Amino acid sequence: MLIVDDEPFAVRAVVQGLDWEALGFGKVFSALDADEAMEKLQSERIDLMICDIEMPGMNGLELVEWATDHYPAVETIFLTGHADFSFAQQAIGLGSFDYLLKPVKRDKLAEVVAKAVDKIKRQEEAREFYTQYRSYVKLWEAHKPVLVERFWQDVLAERFVPTEANLRESLSAANMAVEPDTPVLPILLSVDRWHKEFDERDEEIMEYALRNAASEFLYPGLQSDIVRDRRGLNVALLYAGDAAAFPRREALAVACRDYIAACERYFYCTLSCYIGEAAPIDRLAAQCHSLIEIEHDNVAAAGTVIVAELRREAEAHAAGGAGKEARKKMALPADRDDWVVLFESGRKDELLRRLETMLAALQREKADAEALEGAYHFVLHLLYHVAHKHGLSVKELMGGKKRPDDITAAKSISQLRAWATRLIAAACDALEQQERQGSAVVEKVKRYIDDHLQTVTREELAAHVYLNPAYLSRLFKKETGQSLVDYIIHSKINRAKLLLTESNRKISDIGESLGYDNFSHFGKTFKKSVGLTPQQYRKRFQGLGESQ
C-alpha cells in the first residue's frame, strides 16, 4: 500500500485510520509528492495506491498516468478535496478503481479498499493461472507421442489379440518393464463440464494438464500411466507386481476426491472418477468398457467417485441375490466378440439369426424373468460396446433417437424379440450410414472452410453440418488424418501463398483477409508453416510463372 499526499496530516489520518493488516496489507508506505512516490513504486512492490490529485510539481493524475505505463498492475484510489468533474473524468480515463472526496468516512474508505483488495486478488489468481497455463502449453507443444501411451491405447482399443506372446512383443517394443499378467487397475477420469469456454486446442491443453495432475494425486506410490485413449477418454492405469500392493478402495476413493477438488479449483472443471478392479492386461479392455457403461448411466451425480465393485454389490443386493440355478437357465452367448465383429462388418442378417437362436433357446428352457432380463442386458451392453468403440453415444448410434433402454422389453420373449430386432437393425443401418456419410461431411466442411477462411471456427463448422463440435473433430481426424484446426491453418497459409504471388496487395491486408488481425501473428504462423516470412516468400516466388 502506498499513500501519496502533500499534506502530512492527511497521510497520517489515512495511515492511522484503518487496520491495514486486517485488510491484507503487510506494509504501508507514504510519499509527500510524486517524485517520492515514483521512488517507492520503483523500489517496493505496491499493489494499491491512494493518491491526492493537486500536489506541487507533478499532480496525482500525471503520477497515475506514469504508474499505469510502468506498473500497470497497481490499482489506484483517488482521494481529493476537489469535486471537479474534469478531474473525475480523467481519473476514470486512467482506469482508477474509485474516486473519493475528502473528508471521507472511515467505513466508506474501508469498504472501497476491501473491494479493491478483492479485485487485486482476482487479478493475481488470473496471472497465476495464466503462468501455470503457459507452462502446460510449453509441455504440451513439446510433448510427442510415446510408445508407452500407444501400447495402452492399442490395448484399450483391442487393436491386437492380447495373447501372452503378443503382449510380450508389444511390451518389449515399448521398453516397458511389465509382465503380461501384471494386474492393472483402471480409473476413468470423466470431465462432466468445463466452467470456462475453451476452444479445441485449449481444451486439449487443459486435458493434458488434468492427466499430468492425476499422476500426483492417484496414489503416487504405485507405477501409473495416465493416457488418453483413441476415443478421447482419459484413463489412469495403476499397476504393481502384486495385487496386494494396491491400496484399499476406500483410500483410492479419498485420493480421487482430492483430485476432483484440485481440478475444480485449478483447472476450471467438474470431474468424476470411476474406479475399476485390478485385472491382467488381457482383460483390461473389458474392465474399461464396464467403467464407460457406468459413466454413461451416471447422469445425475457430477463431481463424484464411483467404485465399480461397490456398484455391482449394491445392484446384486437390490436384486435380492440371484441364485445359481437361475443363472444356469440364462443360456446367453459366450461369444460377444463375434457379435461385435458381425456388427462392424455390417452382417445384419447373421446377427438377427443369432438373436433368434438365443431367444429360441430361452423358449425351450422355459426361461424365467431373470433370464429374460439377462438377455435384455446382453443386447443393451452389446450396443453400448459397439457405440463406444466407434466413438459414438448410443443415442447417436440409434440415429439421434431416445436412448434404447426399455426394461419392459424383458416381460416376454415376444416383446424382447421385437425390441432387440428393432435395435440391432437400426444400429447396423446407422453404422453403415456413418461410413457413407463420413466422407461427404468432411468434403462439405472443406468447402465451407474455403468459402469462409477469414472467420471460420469449429463451432460454426459444426453448426453448418449439424454435428457436435467434438464429434466433428474426431470424424475429421479419422477421415483425413489431420486435425480440424491444423487443416484450417493449412488452408489459410495456402491461400496466403496464392495471394502473395498473384497479387500486389499489402501483406498486412492479406493477413487481415484471412482472419489474422495481428500482423506479427500472421508472419510467425506463415514462417512456421512455410519456412520463410511472407516478404521472403513473395520476393522469391512472385513472377516466377511469367519468367518460365
Side-chain angles (χ1 to χ4, degrees), residues 322-454:
K324 292 182 180 179
E325 191 61 32
R327 284 196 292 273
K328 286 180 182 178
K329 293 180 181 179
M330 294 177 76
L332 297 180
D335 54 350
R336 187 183 73 165
D337 290 346
D338 291 348
W339 289 58
V340 172
V341 171
L342 291 172
F343 247 124
E344 294 177 332
S345 58
R347 297 176 64 184
K348 179 168 60 176
D349 292 341
E350 175 60 19
L351 270 172
L352 294 176
R353 188 193 67 76
R354 291 195 178 207
L355 172 66
E356 185 56 39
T357 300
M358 177 180 74
L359 295 175
L362 290 172
Q363 185 103 41
R364 283 195 310 273
E365 296 173 9
K366 296 182 173 22
D368 59 14
E370 185 177 314
L372 290 188
E373 286 184 14
Y376 162 81
H377 285 293
F378 172 81
V379 174
L380 195 60
H381 288 174
L382 179 67
L383 289 170
Y384 276 112
H385 179 87
V386 171
H388 289 306
K389 194 170 182 181
H390 284 260
L392 301 171
S393 69
V394 173
K395 189 175 180 180
E396 289 170 325
L397 186 65
M398 303 309 298
K401 300 175 184 177
K402 66 179 182 179
R403 284 177 52 177
D405 315 53
D406 182 6
I407 194 63
T408 61
K411 286 188 175 180
S412 70
I413 289 180
S414 61
Q415 285 178 273
L416 185 61
R417 178 181 287 108
W419 171 81
T421 299
R422 175 173 54 82
L423 272 120
I424 289 174
C428 285
D429 292 343
L431 286 178
E432 183 181 352
Q433 186 178 13
Q434 184 197 31
E435 291 296 324
R436 290 198 309 269
Q437 290 183 344
S439 297
V441 168
V442 167
E443 288 305 315
K444 188 175 182 180
V445 165
K446 287 181 176 179
R447 288 195 299 272
Y448 190 91
I449 290 172
D450 288 339
D451 293 338
H452 302 81
L453 271 179
Q454 184 177 18

Side-chain angles (χ1 to χ4, degrees), residues 195-207:
H195 303 309
K196 283 183 175 288
E197 200 169 308
F198 296 117
D199 60 24
E200 181 184 13
R201 177 177 176 273
D202 288 347
E203 197 171 296
E204 286 191 11
I205 292 171
M206 292 306 295
E207 288 205 12

Side-chain angles (χ1 to χ4, degrees), residues 232-284:
L233 299 171
N234 297 310
V235 185
L237 301 169
L238 314 181
Y239 48 97
D242 182 1
F246 288 108
R248 295 172 61 85
R249 58 195 183 193
E250 294 83 0
L252 268 179
V254 169
C256 286
R257 280 191 282 272
D258 291 342
Y259 173 61
I260 290 170
C263 291
E264 187 88 28
R265 181 176 180 184
Y266 297 112
F267 301 122
Y268 299 99
C269 72
T270 297
L271 175 144
S272 292
C273 294
Y274 301 83
I275 303 173
E277 296 179 63
I281 296 174
D282 63 349
R283 297 209 302 271
L284 184 60

